[in-house]
Amino acid sequence: MFELLNNMDDDLLEKEIDKLLEGVEIDMDAINKKAHQKLTDNNKKRKRRKRYSYVAAACVCLLGVTTVYASDISETIKSFINKTPIYSTIVDGDAYYLKERHVLNNEIAIENIMVSEGNLEMEITANPSLSELGEINIIPQNDASTVYHPGGYSEEGKKYYFSFMNKTENNYNIKPFKDFKLVIGRNSYNVSLEKAKSLDLNGKIYTPNAGESNIKGVDIGAKVIDENGKSNIQFVTSFEDKSLKLVGLGKPIEAKVVSTFEKRDKGMFSSSTSSKAEELYAFDEMNTKYKLQIPENAKGRPVTVFETNAPKDKNLTLKLPALVASFDKTITSLPLSIPKEGEATLNKEIDFTIQKAVVKNVKRVSPASAQIEFELNTGGNKNIDIRSFSLNSPDIKKMSAEFNGNKAIMTLEFDKNLTTTNIQISYPQFVMTGNWSIDIK
């Protein structure tokens, strides 16, 4: 009990104690007053430990008859303690967002923008084409030495979606900020964001049925939220390994992944197979299924809020067959010797922490290109499959890859007669097949 309480922050603890003691005849005001008097001269950590002793006995009495809720405290609530809903997604830690559409001038408007640890996204509408807009930068007001610029983008008509990276450090080290200067071409605009509220842990979070998950270290939860007159579903995910991040919910429709990476004069160009997932469903007691649909105006990625036409106050069972997660980091740096002709056997293991792969061989296919073959999913965990990963080297001009089942082939293009290089393997994605089932009652 003490270990559980010591791992919870004060605000959350207050809420959970109030829940556990609801209906119990105990003078908490008197207890708190005495506790605070006794703890005045102690440090914060000792404050919490001593204060807990006044309520631990009452909590223990109730835990015996509220084992389900106690399980939620020890597993779900603790793992979701750092989550923040923002738009249609959930992030870790502090997050800031644009509360409403912001018009910059008669041609450009910001539709939405969100920033959190390691993530900065912006969507704008603009009459000028992307090439006419000019260079785009974001400079935080509290850190003028750091500049963020688009690391990737997509467009649909006059709408442009940008994913930013740290231009100063050439990485994805992004720190949350409230106020910033947006530079588009020769013009600059001052913009202020709203801070998003943390996940309401005081509300009911439903968890998977015991023993039905096949993935250790992955916590899944769901909340029912009322929006637009419907009872929508909000999924919450948490990973024991904090460097793992959610990419998407559901099993990808395309099992095979084809990706390219190319260095060009204006920067790097990359593309990949769509990660669109199979439909998700909820089932009622009569086994009638209701599709979970991504809201038409969904903002933020990955989308974790879904609309459903299921009647309100109806008992439902959510089915989540799989999810996609990634490590947003470099896994290893691999020295590579490329034969001048023919093929060389390597058999070098790569440890992705939650799965493994083997670099089988490298083969020269032309004076300026080579192929590398990988055997995937050699770590023995049948419920986690490597979906893709990136491979980079200063010597590589272009890379194309195909991931299919337990095999991957990468073709590298480089300067003629290259024989040695150092390649970085990074940003792996995994399909986790947990077959989670969550009862909502």
Side-chain angles (χ1 to χ4, degrees):
M1 169 61 71
F2 278 103
E3 180 181 355
L4 166 64
L5 296 177
N6 277 321
N7 282 323
M8 300 177 74
D9 65 33
D10 286 340
D11 291 339
L12 177 60
L13 183 60
E14 292 279 3
K15 294 178 181 178
E16 298 311 323
I17 289 174
D18 287 345
K19 279 186 179 181
L20 287 170
L21 297 179
E22 185 178 353
V24 178
E25 294 183 4
I26 181 168
D27 190 349
M28 288 302 297
D29 289 337
I31 288 176
N32 278 324
K33 184 176 180 180
K34 291 178 182 178
H36 282 77
Q37 287 174 346
K38 285 178 176 288
L39 300 173
T40 301
D41 298 326
N42 293 332
N43 61 41
K44 186 175 181 181
K45 185 173 181 179
R46 288 176 60 85
K47 276 185 186 179
R48 290 194 295 183
R49 283 181 176 272
K50 289 195 174 185
R51 181 178 164 214
Y52 296 158
S53 64
Y54 291 94
V55 298
C59 290
V60 169
C61 290
L62 290 173
L63 283 174
V65 294
T66 58
T67 54
V68 174
Y69 189 65
S71 175
D72 283 350
I73 293 175
S74 63
E75 300 297 332
T76 304
I77 294 180
K78 282 175 61 179
S79 67
F80 297 155
I81 205 168
N82 196 38
K83 301 296 181 180
T84 301
I86 176 171
Y87 292 132
S88 300
T89 189
I90 292 182
V91 300
D92 291 320
D94 289 341
Y96 295 86
Y97 70 106
L98 190 66
K99 194 170 185 179
E100 55 188 21
R101 188 173 188 261
H102 185 67
V103 177
L104 300 178
N105 56 41
N106 59 1
E107 292 187 319
I108 306 172
I110 306 176
E111 298 298 331
N112 57 80
I113 185 169
M114 58 176 279
V115 57
S116 59
E117 188 75 28
N119 185 57
L120 175 55
E121 303 175 11
M122 180 177 71
E123 185 179 23
I124 67 171
T125 52
N127 282 324
S129 65
L130 189 59
S131 59
E132 293 172 327
L133 284 174
E135 188 175 359
I136 298 175
N137 291 313
I138 285 179
I139 305 170
Q141 196 175 87
N142 62 353
D143 184 12
S145 62
T146 299
V147 178
Y148 300 111
H149 73 151
Y153 77 94
S154 62
E155 60 181 291
E156 184 178 343
K158 295 181 180 180
K159 280 192 176 183
Y160 299 93
Y161 167 83
F162 299 97
S163 177
F164 286 79
M165 63 182 295
N166 190 318
K167 183 179 182 180
T168 307
E169 301 177 7
N170 193 32
N171 57 26
Y172 284 90
N173 181 22
I174 296 169
K175 302 296 182 184
F177 53 82
K178 175 179 173 61
D179 304 303
F180 65 95
K181 180 170 70 174
L182 173 62
V183 180
I184 301 180
R186 297 180 180 179
N187 300 315
S188 65
Y189 311 89
N190 292 321
V191 183
S192 184
L193 302 177
E194 194 92 2
K195 186 173 182 178
K197 295 180 180 179
S198 298
L199 183 68
D200 180 14
L201 298 176
N202 199 34
K204 178 62 179 176
I205 299 179
Y206 300 90
T207 55
N209 301 326
E212 291 195 10
S213 172
N214 296 317
I215 310 291
K216 292 181 65 176
V218 181
D219 289 319
I220 303 292
K223 288 175 66 72
V224 177
I225 55 176
D226 291 327
E227 193 170 305
N228 300 326
K230 298 180 180 180
S231 294
N232 295 338
I233 303 298
Q234 180 181 53
F235 283 98
V236 192
T237 60
S238 180
F239 301 98
E240 185 178 337
D241 189 327
K242 299 304 179 184
S243 56
L244 265 176
K245 304 297 180 184
L246 179 69
V247 174
L249 297 167
K251 185 177 180 180
I253 294 174
E254 295 288 343
K256 182 170 73 172
V257 176
V258 177
S259 61
T260 61
F261 168 88
E262 185 175 3
K263 294 178 181 177
R264 297 180 179 177
D265 293 338
K266 293 184 178 181
M268 299 177 292
F269 173 82
S270 63
S271 65
S272 181
T273 301
S274 170
S275 58
K276 187 176 181 180
E278 296 176 354
E279 301 287 359
L280 298 177
Y281 293 93
F283 297 81
D284 64 17
E285 294 166 320
M286 302 300 294
N287 210 34
T288 303
K289 67 179 184 179
Y290 304 90
K291 186 165 70 173
L292 303 185
Q293 302 185 74
I294 295 176
E296 188 175 345
N297 63 341
K299 302 172 185 177
R301 302 180 187 183
V303 175
T304 57
V305 175
F306 296 83
E307 293 180 344
T308 173
N309 290 321
K312 286 187 176 183
D313 302 322
K314 197 173 188 69
N315 292 344
L316 296 174
T317 298
L318 302 177
K319 298 290 186 180
L320 179 62
L323 58 79
V324 180
S326 72
F327 284 121
D328 292 344
K329 63 181 182 180
T330 297
I331 298 299
T332 188
S333 186
L334 182 70
L336 184 67
S337 296
I338 305 172
K340 292 184 178 180
E341 58 181 31
E343 179 181 304
T345 300
L346 300 177
N347 286 330
K348 293 183 179 180
E349 185 175 79
I350 305 168
D351 189 351
F352 289 97
T353 307
I354 59 175
Q355 189 51 276
K356 293 181 179 181
V358 174
V359 187
K360 297 292 290 181
N361 57 65
V362 57
K363 178 171 62 176
R364 175 81 66 165
V365 292
S366 79
S369 65
Q371 278 188 348
I372 306 177
E373 181 181 346
F374 297 83
E375 182 181 358
L376 308 178
N377 310 317
T378 60
N381 193 331
K382 296 180 180 179
N383 298 309
I384 300 179
D385 292 325
I386 298 172
R387 175 169 166 77
S388 65
F389 52 80
S390 296
L391 187 152
N392 193 20
S393 166
D395 301 313
I396 296 174
K397 295 180 177 180
K398 184 178 180 180
M399 182 272 292
S400 58
E402 181 177 304
F403 298 82
N404 196 358
N406 293 324
K407 185 176 180 180
I409 299 291
M410 289 193 174
T411 302
L412 314 178
E413 297 181 18
F414 39 75
D415 288 333
K416 188 176 180 181
N417 297 324
L418 179 74
T419 57
T420 60
T421 188
N422 202 64
I423 59 175
Q424 288 187 333
I425 295 175
S426 57
Y427 301 103
Q429 289 192 3
F430 309 90
V431 177
M432 298 181 169
T433 306
N435 289 316
W436 293 278
S437 179
I438 304 175
D439 289 335
I440 295 180
K441 296 183 179 180

